[in-house]
Amino acid sequence: MIIFSAPSGAGKTTIVQHLLKVFPELEFSVSACSRPMRKGETNGVDYYFISLEEFKEKIKNNEFAEYEEVYKDNYYGTLKSEIEHIWKKGKHIIFDMDVMGGLNLRLQFGENALAIFVMPPSIEHLEQRLNSRETETPESIARRIGKAEQELKKAELFDKIILNDNLEHALDEAEKIVFDFLNKK
Ligand code: 5GP
C-alpha cells in the first residue's frame, strides 16, 4: 500500500489522482467520512458519506483499520473491508489521508506500506490554495491552517518527503518513488 499524507491544500489529492492514471495496478481506497458531501463529490467515489451516528457505530464494531476525528465532529476512516476488497482484486492500494492516519497505517502494515509526505512550500502558500477553493469558509481555512502547522512537524517520520513547490516536478518524483516501490516487491 502507498499512503499519501499532507496538510490540507498541499496538493496530495492532485498527486494521487495523477498516479492513478499512470499506474493501472493502483486502486484508490475510498474512505468513510461524516462531513457533508461537497458540490461535485460522489458518494462511493470520493468518500462513503455516512452520518456521525453511523460512523460511531462502525468504530464500536471495530470496522476501521484507522480513523481520526480530523476536524471537530468530522470523522474520516479507512474501512478494513475496503482494504480487503482491493487486495482481493490483486491491486495495490493508494491512500489519501491526514498525517496521523498515515503514520498509524504505516506502523500497522510495516514493510507492506510506503508512507509519503507532501510538503507545501510554505504555510502562506497553503493559505492561498485553500482561499482559492470555493468550498472553504474563513473558519474552515483557519482550522486547516492550525492543523497544518502541527502536521508539518511530523514530516520526518515518513519514508519519503515530496516538496510540492512545482507541480510538474512533484508529479515526476511521485511517479519515480511509486515505480521503485512497486518494482521492489
Ligand atoms: P477533506 O475534507 O478535505 O476531503 O479531507 C480532510 C482531511 O481528511 C484530508 O487531509 C484527507 O486526506 C483526510 N482523510 C481522508 N480520508 C481519510 C481517512 O480515511 N483517514 C484519515 N485519518 N484521514 C483521512
Side-chain angles (χ1 to χ4, degrees), residues 6 8 12 31 35 38 47 66 68 70-71 76-78 96-98 101 133 144:
S8 187
K12 69 179 177 307
S31 299
R35 76 151 163 77
R38 293 183 193 137
Y47 288 105
E66 67 74 39
E68 293 284 328
V70 176
Y71 306 107
Y76 297 76
T78 305
D96 172 339
M97 62 172 56
D98 89 322
R133 280 188 190 170
R144 283 168 192 257

Side-chain angles (χ1 to χ4, degrees), residues 61-66 78-85:
N61 294 338
N62 199 23
E63 291 181 50
F64 288 108
E66 67 74 39
T78 305
L79 291 161
K80 291 178 184 169
S81 57
E82 182 75 5
I83 295 179
E84 282 156 18
H85 174 70

Side-chain angles (χ1 to χ4, degrees), residues 4-16 18 116-126 128-129 133 152 160-174 177:
F4 274 86
S5 295
S8 187
K12 69 179 177 307
T13 305
T14 308
I15 296 177
V16 167
H18 172 78
I116 302 164
F117 188 96
V118 181
M119 178 72 83
S122 66
I123 288 279
E124 291 71 36
H125 193 93
L126 271 190
Q128 270 171 24
R129 289 194 57 163
R133 280 188 190 170
L152 290 179
K160 303 274 181 192
I161 299 176
I162 296 178
L163 174 66
N164 188 10
D165 58 349
N166 172 310
L167 183 61
E168 215 174 303
H169 291 169
L171 295 178
D172 283 350
E173 202 182 340
I177 290 170

Side-chain angles (χ1 to χ4, degrees), residues 2 4 14-23 25-26 94 114 116 162 167-183:
I2 297 163
F4 274 86
T14 308
I15 296 177
V16 167
Q17 292 306 324
H18 172 78
L19 293 170
L20 282 163
K21 285 192 201 121
V22 173
F23 296 98
E25 62 271 53
L26 291 178
I94 187 162
L114 180 75
I116 302 164
I162 296 178
L167 183 61
E168 215 174 303
H169 291 169
L171 295 178
D172 283 350
E173 202 182 340
E175 268 185 47
K176 186 178 176 317
I177 290 170
V178 169
F179 180 86
D180 289 347
F181 181 70
L182 295 181
N183 287 286

